[in-house]
Amino acid sequence: MASVDMERGGVAKNRGNYTSSYGMSTPYYYETRERQWISWVIPIFVISNIAVFIVAMFINNCPNQEHRTGKCVVRFLHRFSFQPLRENPLFGPSASTLEKLGALEWKKVVHGHQGWRLVTCIWLHAGVIHLLANMLSLIFIGIRLEQQFGFVRIGLIYLISGFGGSVLSSLFIRNNISVGASGALFGLLGAMLSELITNWTIYSNKAAALITLLIIIVINLAVGILPHVDNFAHIGGFLTGFLLGFILLVRPQFGWIERHNLPPAAQVKSKHKAYQYIFLLISLVLLLAGFVVGLVMLFRGKNGNDRCHWCHYLSCVPTSRWNCGN
């Protein structure tokens, strides 16, 4: 994944007749300087994912399985060596180890009453390649967002988006396990898009930023149609993050006004525009309704493919080179 750089107008701070960086002409004092947060929750997420992968490799202990699965890869790592590449080409543990540690599996979630797998699967990765790709994307995207919006909002978007991706994945994928933080990462991308839309008036280079971001999103979703990639987790995470962006990443559109000693005519009753409140309300309703419907369908054992006969193409498109059924 990649991020996109979107510039805002500079700091507006002055007195007298003045047009602020938000395009408002006023004789009064405006302060539009934002707080720059220190990013710490994203680094913690990165460290946690790496730590969980190390634990998974320790528990996997490939040499103990070598007589059954073939020769381990990078054997000098001893119990941390990887499964044979024909079993796991991503340089990681076995599927049984991932399943034991909390990989997402429909039967265990629905019939085994192990709903906690909807969360634990977000912290597991299939291999070094999988882990490296996701963690680099998380650092590239997440740190910038956390510096702008703080750890609470970005942390919530990451976790809730990952959960939303797990729910949608469980509704459509029944015969395989699923692991990875991709759903949470796509949630951050979705939040970036909705943040750009809801705070449209305060950005410069709007069209370029929007087009660039859309291209990045489309490319990443297109990769998800390859086999062995859970694109439903990507889509579910993206949609969840997109709605959360309208709720959690709303910026004031009129600047921060120093209200003391100002005449009544200069008082701004709301720092936000009406369309921002409309987006927030609609997104909140859709998000709650989506989670309620999705969870009810999931724990009733409903198969999403029965309601949408073409949706399986969103996760894998069969060609002469691969079979999506595997």
Side-chain angles (χ1 to χ4, degrees), residues 149 153-154 157 161 187-200 210 213 238-253 272-287:
F149 296 101
R153 287 182 281 184
I154 300 307
I157 291 173
S161 296
L188 295 180
L189 276 179
M192 287 178 67
L193 179 60
S194 56
E195 191 272 327
L196 175 60
I197 294 172
T198 194
N199 302 318
W200 182 259
L210 179 61
L213 185 55
F238 175 81
L239 293 176
T240 303
F242 182 70
L243 295 175
L244 284 171
F246 287 117
I247 299 170
L248 298 177
L249 304 186
V250 181
R251 296 182 191 263
Q253 302 293 291
H272 302 91
K273 293 190 175 181
Y275 75 86
Q276 290 181 300
Y277 291 112
I278 294 173
F279 281 151
L280 188 153
L281 181 60
I282 294 175
S283 298
L284 184 60
V285 171
L286 290 177
L287 185 67

Side-chain angles (χ1 to χ4, degrees), residues 116-158:
W116 47 268
R117 290 179 178 269
L118 295 168
V119 177
T120 55
C121 67
I122 303 170
W123 304 96
L124 293 167
H125 286 83
V128 172
I129 297 176
H130 188 202
L131 176 69
L132 185 62
N134 277 350
M135 293 305 99
L136 288 176
S137 299
L138 178 56
I139 291 171
F140 201 50
I141 298 172
I143 288 181
R144 179 73 179 274
L145 283 173
E146 187 180 354
Q147 288 173 342
Q148 291 179 332
F149 296 101
F151 69 93
V152 174
R153 287 182 281 184
I154 300 307
L156 284 174
I157 291 173
Y158 181 89

Side-chain angles (χ1 to χ4, degrees), residues 6-10 21-22 32 34 148 202-204 251-252 256:
M6 297 176 290
E7 296 182 1
R8 291 189 58 192
S21 60
Y22 297 98
T32 61
E34 285 188 312
Q148 291 179 332
I202 66 175
Y203 279 105
S204 60
R251 296 182 191 263
W256 287 262

Side-chain angles (χ1 to χ4, degrees), residues 157-175:
I157 291 173
Y158 181 89
L159 296 173
I160 298 174
S161 296
F163 180 74
S166 298
V167 172
L168 191 66
S169 176
S170 298
L171 286 172
F172 286 93
I173 297 179
R174 294 194 166 195
N175 300 321

Side-chain angles (χ1 to χ4, degrees), residues 14 64 91 96 101 104 109 120 125 132 150 166 204 207 238 251 266 298:
N14 209 335
N64 278 0
F91 297 95
S96 60
L101 292 177
L104 185 63
V109 171
T120 55
H125 286 83
L132 185 62
S166 298
S204 60
F238 175 81
R251 296 182 191 263
L298 174 61

